[in-house]
Amino acid sequence: MKALVPCAVAALAILTAAPPGHASAVLQTEARSWKVTPNTRVRLDFPVGDLHVKAASGSEVRFELQVRCKNGSTDACERRASRLKLEHHQSEGDLRLKLEGYPKATGGMGFVLDGILYVPSACAVNIDMGVGDLEVDGMRGDLDVDLGVGEATVWLERAAISSVNVDVGIGSATVDSPDGSTRGRGWLGRTVHWSPGGGTSRISLDVGVGEAQVKVR
């Protein structure tokens, strides 16, 4: 098994910038991509920010990242962004991605990550995320989400689903389907179990504090 190979998310370029006095910029990183098979399990460890996981055609996983900088020096923000690194490890049936280098203290400068992960729809996906908002759309494989604080919203096709389990420590848990809306129950935390059958994908959402929503089409 190969060791983890750190790959810098480099080649940052300022796409937009506000006039002086209203310092604001969007830094675009170089996209990374990997060839996979439908049996690959894709795992992403994402620290803080907004993350979108989208079903893609073909046989390639692609990760794109923007850094939004507000209320501070563009140069300082770019220096911090240049420290971000994407570690990856790929072996047979498994692709692991981990975003490292997020600044522990941003000094109120509005250092915000906005990531997009494109994955072939048949692949299984694991997301481990600290704080932020997560959206997943169109996946047909197994999905396992662990979000510390924030909001997770997942759109799924009913025909693909075997079971859905949603657990929220503090907050709300819901499954909306053509059959109606099911809300989480429980004294310590909220839990929803929903099993339409027919499909093969197993969906698991675990949110510590916040909201978890599964929307079935």
Side-chain angles (χ1 to χ4, degrees):
M1 182 179 293
K2 295 181 180 179
L4 271 172
V5 180
C7 299
V9 181
L12 292 171
I14 297 177
L15 302 181
T16 60
H22 299 277
S24 178
V26 177
L27 309 180
Q28 178 70 56
T29 71
E30 180 183 8
R32 303 285 304 180
S33 59
W34 302 264
K35 290 288 187 181
V36 296
T37 71
N39 295 324
T40 299
R41 180 174 290 273
V42 179
R43 308 172 190 269
L44 174 62
D45 190 333
F46 190 83
V48 179
D50 295 335
L51 178 63
H52 310 267
V53 180
K54 299 183 178 183
S57 58
S59 58
E60 186 175 271
V61 170
R62 181 180 175 88
F63 181 69
E64 300 176 358
L65 182 70
Q66 287 186 343
V67 180
R68 288 180 280 125
C69 310
K70 298 179 180 180
N71 305 322
S73 165
T74 298
D75 290 341
C77 184
E78 188 169 359
R79 285 196 299 273
R80 294 187 181 201
S82 69
R83 299 189 186 107
L84 294 171
K85 296 182 182 298
L86 183 65
E87 292 188 349
H88 79 271
H89 173 241
Q90 188 169 14
S91 59
E92 186 176 356
D94 195 69
L95 173 63
R96 297 172 183 263
L97 308 174
K98 185 175 183 178
L99 190 63
E100 295 275 21
Y102 183 83
K104 294 182 178 179
T106 59
M109 67 186 301
F111 190 89
V112 181
L113 302 184
D114 192 347
I116 304 178
L117 181 68
Y118 296 95
V119 183
S121 61
C123 290
V125 175
N126 285 50
I127 301 295
D128 190 348
M129 188 169 168
V131 179
D133 291 339
L134 169 67
E135 293 185 351
V136 182
D137 192 4
M139 298 306 300
R140 302 181 66 86
D142 290 350
L143 175 65
D144 194 321
V145 171
D146 190 344
L147 171 61
V149 179
E151 182 175 338
T153 305
V154 178
W155 285 269
L156 300 168
E157 300 294 333
R158 181 188 180 112
I161 301 171
S162 171
S163 64
V164 175
N165 291 293
V166 183
D167 291 291
V168 177
I170 300 175
S172 63
T174 59
V175 174
D176 294 321
S177 75
D179 299 331
S181 182
T182 304
R183 297 187 177 277
R185 297 179 179 276
W187 179 47
L188 296 175
R190 296 289 183 266
T191 300
V192 178
H193 301 291
W194 189 72
S195 299
T200 59
S201 63
R202 299 179 183 276
I203 312 301
S204 175
L205 272 67
D206 191 335
V207 177
V209 178
E211 298 181 12
Q213 305 174 64
V214 176
K215 298 181 180 293
V216 182
R217 295 187 281 244

